[in-house]
């Protein structure tokens, strides 16, 4: 969800309090996404993002306050998405709707649509440096493996998921972590009731205890790119600026990089189309004229070798 301050609303100063009319709309991170990857809530294209923002009547320079109903969970993902597309005035309500209600602040059911549409810019440009791809993360592994601290990858999943002691909640995914990454469970960044984010001094101490120099580039990961944004928000609060999100996170990494895949093709002609799950991996197609009726394609766990095996002969 996000609350948007209206551009032409009336403001009233009374006993040191500033009153501002707000319009609350539902920002669906699963809808405002790129669905072409087959992965949940991937960062949308500029065109897709703009289409949703126009539908929500959220303009680039609006004051946007993101919150969710359970405290701090999905709202940082909305915040990071909006910032990635150049929205300069995005905040996260610490404590979310739960804290808002406990403070006896006014609430209303559903989207509040009584405010008229306002003029504003929809000139959004995606900052691609905010997002790291699987190949970019893979390129960091030699540094991470050697404990080179020029770039960190932080994983927001729980300690047992990170260590591979428990199964991933998504069926069929292998357990474990990106080699050389550091575990920073997102709930460690929150208060005991998981409603609010910890104070800046507490966050600074936590990162110090983890041996993280947040003046260096940091990439956050998790299961699917959601709770990683809690790490990014915490880092922003302590002054970190060189931040990025591994959008596909462990779901993409283990599905397309670590999981061996085999495909058997029965070639009926010399003309066919084949899409391989790892675009960066070269494919050598053996033509039918060489006498093969089919072949097996297999990627190693390191995804750095491709084998072509004769299945039939002449």
């Amino acid at each position: 969800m996000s609350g948007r301050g209206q551009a032409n609303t009336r403001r009233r100063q009374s006993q040191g309090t500033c009153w501002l009319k707000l319009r609350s709309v539902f920002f669906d991170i699963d809808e405002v996404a790129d669905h072409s990857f087959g992965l949940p809530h991937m960062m949308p294209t500029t065109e897709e993002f703009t289409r949703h923002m126009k539908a929500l009547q959220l303009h680039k320079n609006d004051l946007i306050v993101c919150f969710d109903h359970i405290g701090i969970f999905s709202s940082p993902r909305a915040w990071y998405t909006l910032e990635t597309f150049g929205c300069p005035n995005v905040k996260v309500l610490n404590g979310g709707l739960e804290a808002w209600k406990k403070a006896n602040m006014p609430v209303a059911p559903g989207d509040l649509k009584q405010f008229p549409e306002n003029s504003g810019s929809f000139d959004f440009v995606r900052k691609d440096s905010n997002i790291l791809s699987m190949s970019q993360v893979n390129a960091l592994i030699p540094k991470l493996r050697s404990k080179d601290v020029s770039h960190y990858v932080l994983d927001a999943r729980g300690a047992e998921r990170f260590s591979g002691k428990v199964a991933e909640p998504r069926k069929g995914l292998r357990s474990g972590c990106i080699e050389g990454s550091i575990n920073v469970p997102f709930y460690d960044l929150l208060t005991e009731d998981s409603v609010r984010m910890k104070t800046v001094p507490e966050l600074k101490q936590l990162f110090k205890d983890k041996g993280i120099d947040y003046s260096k580039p940091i990439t956050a990961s998790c299961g699917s790119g959601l709770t990683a944004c809690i790490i990014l928000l915490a880092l922003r609060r302590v002054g970190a600026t060189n931040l990025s999100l591994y959008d596909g996170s462990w779901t993409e990494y283990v599905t397309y990089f670590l999981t061996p895949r085999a495909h058997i093709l029965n070639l009926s002609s010399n003309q066919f189309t084949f899409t391989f799950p790892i675009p960066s991996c070269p494919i050598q197609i053996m033509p039918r004229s060489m006498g093969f009726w089919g072949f097996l394609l297999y990627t190693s766990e390191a995804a750095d070798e491709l084998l072509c095996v004769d299945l039939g002969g002449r």
Side-chain angles (χ1 to χ4, degrees):
M1 277 191 169
S2 67
R4 176 165 73 87
Q6 300 298 295
N8 298 311
T9 56
R10 293 173 296 173
R11 294 168 174 81
R12 174 168 63 88
Q13 292 287 346
S14 175
Q15 298 179 348
T17 301
C18 179
W19 298 91
L20 175 66
K21 285 186 177 180
L22 299 174
R23 181 171 69 90
S24 180
V25 298
F26 180 56
F27 188 95
D28 190 338
I29 60 173
D30 288 317
E31 282 298 317
V32 188
D34 186 344
H35 302 282
S36 65
F37 284 87
L39 296 170
H41 38 255
M42 294 291 285
M43 196 66 69
T45 63
T46 299
E47 293 74 20
E48 183 75 7
F49 180 81
T50 301
R51 182 175 69 83
H52 283 284
M53 294 295 278
K54 285 181 177 179
L56 295 172
Q57 279 297 299
L58 294 175
H59 303 102
K60 181 176 181 178
N61 293 314
D62 286 338
L63 171 60
I64 303 175
V65 180
C66 303
F67 64 94
D68 52 61
H69 71 286
I70 58 174
I72 296 288
F73 187 69
S74 59
S75 52
R77 173 73 197 203
W79 158 77
Y80 195 73
T81 299
L82 291 160
E83 281 217 339
T84 295
F85 286 92
C87 298
N89 302 311
V90 186
K91 310 294 180 182
V92 174
L93 180 62
N94 198 7
L97 185 60
E98 184 173 341
W100 180 270
K101 288 179 177 179
K102 286 182 178 179
N104 295 318
M105 301 300 287
V107 296
D111 286 3
L112 301 181
K113 299 179 179 178
Q114 69 270 33
F115 293 103
E117 293 184 3
N118 293 317
S119 61
S121 170
F122 292 112
D123 185 21
F124 300 107
V125 177
R126 186 169 118 160
K127 185 180 179 182
D128 287 333
S129 60
N130 274 23
I131 306 297
L132 257 60
S133 67
M134 181 176 65
S135 60
Q136 289 173 310
V137 171
N138 183 41
L140 291 173
I141 288 181
K143 288 185 177 181
L144 299 175
R145 185 185 293 130
S146 65
K147 306 300 181 182
D148 183 335
V149 294
S150 62
H151 196 127
Y152 298 93
V153 173
L154 309 184
D155 192 321
R157 294 175 301 154
E160 291 192 333
R161 286 176 64 190
F162 180 82
S163 64
K165 293 180 179 179
V166 299
E168 284 293 302
R170 291 172 180 82
K171 186 177 180 180
L173 289 189
R174 286 173 52 181
S175 301
C177 64
I178 297 172
E179 186 176 3
S181 58
I182 298 173
N183 190 209
V184 182
F186 75 90
Y187 44 76
D188 286 350
L189 304 170
L190 307 178
T191 53
E192 289 186 3
D193 57 7
S194 296
V195 173
R196 291 179 172 83
M197 185 165 283
K198 289 180 176 178
T199 65
V200 170
E202 288 174 320
L203 294 173
K204 286 183 175 180
Q205 186 61 50
L206 185 148
F207 290 124
K208 181 180 179 181
D209 292 343
K210 293 282 185 178
I212 298 165
D213 178 359
Y214 49 80
S215 69
K216 303 290 180 64
I218 299 176
T219 299
S221 177
C222 58
S224 64
L226 180 65
T227 57
C229 295
I230 299 177
I231 290 181
L232 296 175
L233 180 61
L235 287 165
R236 180 66 61 81
R237 291 192 69 201
V238 301
T241 57
N242 197 344
L243 303 175
S244 59
L245 169 69
Y246 176 24
D247 201 17
S249 287
W250 183 248
T251 298
E252 179 187 48
Y253 192 81
V254 74
T255 300
Y256 294 104
F257 186 73
L258 290 183
T259 303
R261 293 180 167 229
H263 303 266
I264 299 176
L265 304 181
N266 187 9
L267 306 184
S268 59
S269 71
N270 289 325
Q271 302 297 321
F272 60 91
T273 301
F274 178 69
T275 302
F276 198 66
I278 305 178
S280 62
C281 191
I283 302 173
Q284 182 178 1
I285 302 299
M286 304 294 288
R288 186 175 174 79
S289 61
M290 294 185 67
F292 297 109
W293 63 266
F295 54 83
L296 178 71
L297 292 177
Y298 173 78
T299 55
S300 71
E301 288 197 1
D304 58 2
E305 90 182 73
L306 184 67
L307 304 179
C308 184
V309 181
D310 177 13
L311 296 181
R314 297 185 183 273

